[in-house]
Amino acid sequence: MSPDDRAMTGRTVRTTRTGGITVMTPRYRAETEQTAAAGGVAGWWARRLLDSDDHRRQTAARRVGDTHRDRFARETAALTDRGYAGPGGGRAAVVPSTPEWRSTTTQVAGLWPFAVGASAPVIGVPVGAHYVTGGPVHFDPMSWFLRGFLTAPIAFVLALNGYGKSSLIRRIVTGAVAAGETVLCLGDTKPDYRDLVGLLGGQIVDIGYGHGTLNPLAVGALGTIADRLPDPDMRRRVAARVLAGQVTIVAGLIELVRGARVADYEETLIAAGLRALYTTGGFTAAHPPLLVDLLAVIATGGDEMRRFAEEDDEAAYRAGTKTLRRSLRALCEGPFGEVFNGHTTIPLDVSTPAVCVDVSWIPEGDTKLLAAVLMVCWSEGFGAIAAAHTLADAGLAPKRTFEVVMDEIWRVLGAGEHMIDRVDALTRLNRALGTGLIMCSHTIKDLASFESPASGHKALGFLERARAKIIGPVPPDEVERLRAVVSFSDTEKMLLTSWAAPRPPSDDLLDEQARQAPPGTGCFLLKTGEADQPGIPFRLVYTPTERAAGVHNTNKRFDDIHSTVSPPSER
């Protein structure tokens, strides 16, 4: 029976089929709309029926392909991430960000039971986004120390090579300069910081064969400010400190050359020779002596030098100082002479925002020269820091803080066990110098690979005294070794090892993989203290300015190589 026939029998037809969906007939829908307008229980029920019918009609329209029910042709419109473009599309010009709130776990749980707790204070340099929540993560050792989050402004960054350790440190360096700190990269071995320091308006110093010299007998910044100090006692203390620093540096260089410790009487002769050069030799802070001048005054001898050597005659003096004179001759005439037996080419200027001492000119295998250059650079750098603090104490300059970067510390320690004592002193005295310290290495094994157990334990102390430990992608056995100094949960171990897993190779994606970084690049876990509290996982994301400047590109040798090397299928 047709609907018209049913209507003739006096019964109202309520439903019909459209696109396989049962909907109200036009007549019955009109009657229901009248009932809905009347109000009451019947009106409430009628409105429920109309809402259900609207939903079924929309479903039916999609089934029959009625794309023109709202007079908008979706099949020809361009769909973007902000909606359909074009007239009638409703594209949003501005997409508002999702609102965020911070609160305690107890309060948030009442509003949203799936809240994730994350202790990431917004203090310091923005280093990335929280790996779980996506919230901002801020950190730098000096800011956290000044706020009381750390007991010492020391951070140690550890991860496998190629996962962004230096990029993270460059981000912290940039923020430190923006906060008014002076950053010193005293021994850039690759170099990793040269381009950044240049962009920040800092000073770049080249050291190496044919690329600048360092005079270990120069008084440095600390010696040049002595005449500016109004207090005679302060001038005397500064002069004594400068002389002690010169003796320490010369003794350290001799130890590297001969591979043995300097005797106590030899240090006395070095000190006596330096005093003689400045008192009777005509040398001044503006015109310091060279190593060859020190060798000459010790070789000449005389009554005064024999008295310090406790020798009775000239023959005994010559025999007693022969080893010392040979070592000084090696410093003056050997390979070291090209770097150290000359006036300092460019003195360090800590009035600039940052200083980078580029030692990448030193050959890879010349570990002794590298250690010697680093030793002198550290002496110059920390002498300049001491000079700035001395001027501040005398009221002649404002107070300042500094940040020292020791990237690739494994190369520094690999230069000899003598360097362990130098680094150990820095990690213990940096608070007295108002200086933050950032160290970096690939594995904890770099801190324990020494013949002497005492040296290995002392090197491991660098990591233990680092109050902030930033761990990147590492293998499982590395996590177990790190558990000796820092606590990790099973979830954190899973994160660290999964970040280190490379992307599975595929011929189909060969060209794309050549342009993509490993998945764990820029992922780090920030741990503070030794308690079992969870760390802060975050991912470093480059800003457009950083990408455009190219300061994070440490693989410049490989740029454009993929364009000249074709896949096997194309050869």
Side-chain angles (χ1 to χ4, degrees):
M1 181 181 296
S2 66
D4 294 336
D5 293 334
R6 292 176 183 174
M8 293 175 63
T9 62
R11 293 181 298 172
T12 301
V13 179
R14 297 186 175 185
T15 61
T16 184
R17 303 281 291 183
T18 303
I21 303 296
T22 301
V23 298
M24 291 182 180
T25 61
R27 180 178 177 181
Y28 180 63
R29 183 176 175 86
E31 293 176 358
T32 306
E33 289 175 350
Q34 292 178 359
T35 305
V41 176
W44 171 81
W45 180 251
R47 288 191 292 275
R48 292 284 302 274
L49 293 176
L50 289 173
D51 289 341
S52 179
D53 186 62
D54 289 338
H55 177 71
R56 290 195 297 268
R57 285 176 178 272
Q58 292 175 2
T59 305
R62 287 194 296 269
R63 286 195 176 184
V64 299
D66 184 13
T67 59
H68 298 278
R69 61 186 181 276
D70 55 1
R71 297 182 181 180
F72 181 71
R74 289 170 175 77
E75 66 276 5
T76 60
L79 179 61
T80 68
D81 57 350
R82 296 172 181 259
Y84 284 101
R91 179 182 180 274
V94 178
V95 178
S97 61
T98 304
E100 298 181 5
W101 292 271
R102 282 177 175 262
S103 180
T104 64
T105 306
T106 303
Q107 293 173 316
V108 172
L111 299 174
W112 180 251
F114 308 108
V116 177
S119 177
V122 189
I123 301 297
V125 179
V127 293
H130 196 283
Y131 194 79
V132 178
T133 66
V137 176
H138 294 233
F139 171 79
D140 70 83
M142 184 60 71
S143 296
W144 279 38
F145 169 71
L146 295 177
R147 291 300 185 97
F149 299 151
L150 302 176
T151 58
I154 306 176
F156 200 109
V157 183
L158 190 144
L160 294 173
N161 55 316
Y163 283 98
K165 299 186 303 299
S166 298
S167 297
L168 174 62
I169 298 176
R170 280 189 291 268
R171 172 67 62 80
I172 296 176
V173 164
T174 305
V177 171
E181 293 185 67
T182 300
V183 178
L184 305 179
C185 303
L186 302 176
D188 196 357
T189 57
K190 282 190 176 179
D192 283 331
Y193 304 93
R194 181 187 183 101
D195 294 343
L196 176 62
V197 170
L199 289 174
L200 295 176
Q203 181 191 36
I204 299 175
V205 180
D206 294 308
I207 300 296
Y209 293 126
H211 290 86
T213 57
L214 278 174
N215 182 11
L217 300 185
V219 296
L222 190 60
T224 58
I225 68 167
D227 295 337
R228 299 173 54 187
L229 302 176
D231 187 2
D233 290 337
M234 185 175 290
R235 290 198 298 268
R236 178 182 52 81
R237 290 193 298 269
V238 168
R241 181 170 179 174
V242 170
L243 177 61
Q246 290 174 324
V247 173
T248 301
I249 286 299
V250 175
L253 292 175
I254 292 175
E255 289 175 352
L256 284 173
V257 169
R258 68 169 60 164
R261 295 288 183 181
V262 172
D264 53 354
Y265 72 90
E266 291 179 320
E267 289 194 15
T268 303
L269 285 174
I270 294 172
L274 288 172
R275 282 193 295 267
L277 289 172
Y278 282 102
T279 55
T280 61
F283 294 99
T284 62
H287 181 62
L290 301 177
L291 286 174
V292 67
D293 300 316
L294 178 61
L295 172 60
V297 74
I298 293 177
T300 301
D303 296 338
E304 187 71 12
M305 296 301 296
R306 285 201 308 271
R307 184 175 67 85
F308 282 105
E310 291 295 336
E311 298 291 354
D312 297 331
D313 52 40
E314 190 67 22
Y317 174 81
R318 296 286 297 177
T321 60
K322 187 174 184 179
T323 303
L324 177 60
R325 288 185 283 112
R326 282 180 171 177
S327 297
L328 286 173
R329 180 66 64 183
L331 288 177
C332 297
E333 306 295 342
F336 281 30
E338 295 188 26
V339 176
F340 296 114
N341 192 30
H343 292 290
T344 300
T345 307
I346 304 177
L348 299 186
D349 183 10
V350 295
S351 64
T352 60
V355 176
C356 173
V357 180
D358 186 354
V359 298
S360 62
W361 310 104
I362 300 175
E364 289 283 340
D366 203 341
T367 56
K368 281 190 175 182
L369 179 61
L370 175 62
V373 169
L374 291 175
M375 188 185 305
V376 179
C377 286
W378 292 345
S379 177
E380 289 283 328
F382 281 90
I385 293 174
H389 291 322
T390 302
L391 290 176
D393 294 340
L396 301 177
K399 290 186 176 181
R400 302 165 59 188
T401 57
F402 297 83
E403 200 83 51
V404 174
V405 176
M406 299 179 65
D407 200 353
E408 304 290 345
I409 193 174
W410 64 271
R411 295 193 62 181
V412 178
L413 300 180
E417 295 191 10
H418 302 94
M419 304 304 293
I420 298 177
D421 294 330
R422 303 288 178 179
V423 181
D424 183 65
L426 299 182
T427 60
R428 295 179 185 273
L429 300 176
N430 63 316
R431 283 187 300 171
L433 294 173
T435 303
L437 182 62
I438 303 176
M439 297 176 285
C440 174
S441 189
H442 295 149
T443 171
I444 195 175
K445 290 188 290 186
D446 295 334
L447 306 178
S449 56
F450 298 98
E451 297 181 359
S452 170
S455 298
H457 292 313
K458 189 177 294 185
L460 286 175
F462 304 157
L463 181 60
E464 294 174 351
R465 286 192 295 276
R467 308 317 301 148
K469 303 169 182 65
I470 305 177
I471 315 299
V474 293
D477 59 340
E478 182 70 14
V479 178
E480 298 302 325
R481 286 191 291 266
L482 286 169
R483 277 178 167 166
V485 292
V486 62
S487 174
F488 292 100
S489 66
D490 292 338
T491 302
E492 290 174 336
K493 177 181 178 180
M494 182 273 295
L495 273 179
L496 295 174
T497 55
S498 65
W499 291 339
R503 184 184 296 105
S506 171
D507 290 339
D508 296 334
L509 301 176
L510 181 62
D511 189 54
E512 288 76 3
Q513 287 183 356
R515 295 170 172 83
Q516 296 179 4
T521 301
C523 296
F524 297 95
L525 178 67
L526 173 60
K527 302 284 287 189
T528 57
E530 288 75 27
D532 294 334
Q533 62 186 11
I536 304 174
F538 66 92
R539 181 190 291 272
L540 172 67
V541 180
Y542 297 154
T543 64
T545 302
E546 289 173 324
R547 292 184 180 277
V551 294
H552 294 307
N553 184 10
T554 56
N555 296 322
K556 294 181 180 180
R557 292 287 186 185
F558 299 93
D559 287 352
D560 301 326
I561 286 183
H562 64 271
S563 62
T564 60
V565 180
S566 60
S569 59
E570 300 178 5
R571 295 175 183 171

